[in-house]
Amino acid sequence: MKKLMNEINWVGSSHTYIDQPDISSLHHITVGRYGGNSLSGANKNEDGCLVWACEKGDWEFAVILDAHYSAESAQLVVEELEAEKERLLEAVRLQAPDCFTEVESRIVSLFKSAEFRAKCQRVKGETACLIAFRKENYVWWFSIGDCVLYLCHPELADFKQYQLNQRNFYEWVGKENTFELPVPSYSSGVRELRKGKTVLLLATDGMVECPDAGFEDAEKVYRQFADDSMVEEGVQRLLQTVETHHGRDSATLIAWTVHNTEEGSEPSDGRVPPELRKE
């Protein structure tokens, strides 16, 4: 793991965390890593992550990667984002809504560039990639593949909404590359945060698909953060569950809490669930 004042970046080939759940932090952000259980067959870690954050808590930029066949594609994406760091931070420092438009434009330009696509053809394997950027009372995401971004807030939980993106299979960056298609395949969006406490969580499939843990049900993931405990404790509970269930696949988590003081959008007929409204 490489740790600087306002940064964490790591790829599983540098430290596997097999049989060793790890919790690290950068300011208010918690990073959890577990390389799987060796008795279940875990022998490598092909995940990766990158976190940039403002010490004051004004914004967060987080990336998780879940590669296969080797960690080379995850390493490539981390290196390329690092190379673009100053240009991306220029976009991050803009005010909303321009910051989100510029960040997305620069990310898409990077992945579409001929230079990056040529580098992808020289690596072994490919990776899913999920990026989340939060500033003010909004969060933007960019997703290639099957990593998950959870949005944990009680008002959304009342409607059984717990995550922002949908897992999409047969999407990657690397040797097989969605950006080599005539029309690149990915998803992105921006979400207004609700007033109060929101927990944002990025997770690779080693957590989501852990056998018998039940985390394919997003509500069970939400419950790990639904009490008043610190976000670090929720991440620790998730990793402990993966460890207890002898998960073989690597699990990487990035989570933090946003305390939003802005009022969120409301329907014109008030805060009433649709099934209870009188039309």
Side-chain angles (χ1 to χ4, degrees), residues 62-175:
V63 185
I64 58 170
L65 300 137
D66 182 4
H68 68 271
Y69 202 21
S70 86
E72 291 180 13
S73 54
Q75 181 73 50
L76 174 62
V77 173
V78 169
E79 290 175 351
E80 292 297 305
L81 289 172
E82 286 284 4
E84 292 291 315
K85 182 176 181 179
E86 290 307 314
R87 292 185 69 250
L88 286 168
L89 290 184
E90 287 176 1
V92 164
R93 295 184 185 110
L94 297 173
Q95 297 299 309
D98 294 340
C99 59
F100 301 106
T101 303
E102 281 300 310
V103 166
E104 177 160 352
S105 175
R106 296 181 189 198
I107 292 291
V108 172
S109 293
L110 168 63
F111 285 126
K112 288 177 68 175
S113 70
E115 181 180 2
F116 175 74
R117 289 187 289 114
K119 290 178 181 179
C120 284
Q121 294 308 303
R122 296 195 290 268
V123 301
K124 179 180 178 181
E126 43 275 331
T127 185
C129 176
L130 173 62
I131 304 174
F133 163 48
R134 195 283 309 179
K135 189 170 185 178
E136 299 178 15
N137 56 321
Y138 298 93
V139 59
W140 167 87
W141 76 94
F142 176 91
S143 179
I144 303 168
D146 60 346
C147 297
V148 182
L149 174 58
Y150 297 90
L151 182 71
C152 303
H153 189 284
E155 290 182 4
L156 299 176
D158 286 344
F159 290 89
K160 299 189 180 301
Q161 181 183 350
Y162 308 103
Q163 62 188 66
L164 278 181
N165 69 320
Q166 177 175 309
R167 300 179 72 199
N168 288 292
F169 303 97
Y170 304 103
E171 286 183 355
W172 306 280
V173 177
K175 191 72 172 181

Side-chain angles (χ1 to χ4, degrees), residues 253-269:
L253 312 176
I254 304 174
W256 68 96
T257 300
V258 180
H259 296 282
N260 176 35
T261 60
E262 299 291 328
E263 292 288 349
S265 300
E266 295 293 341
S268 57
D269 57 350

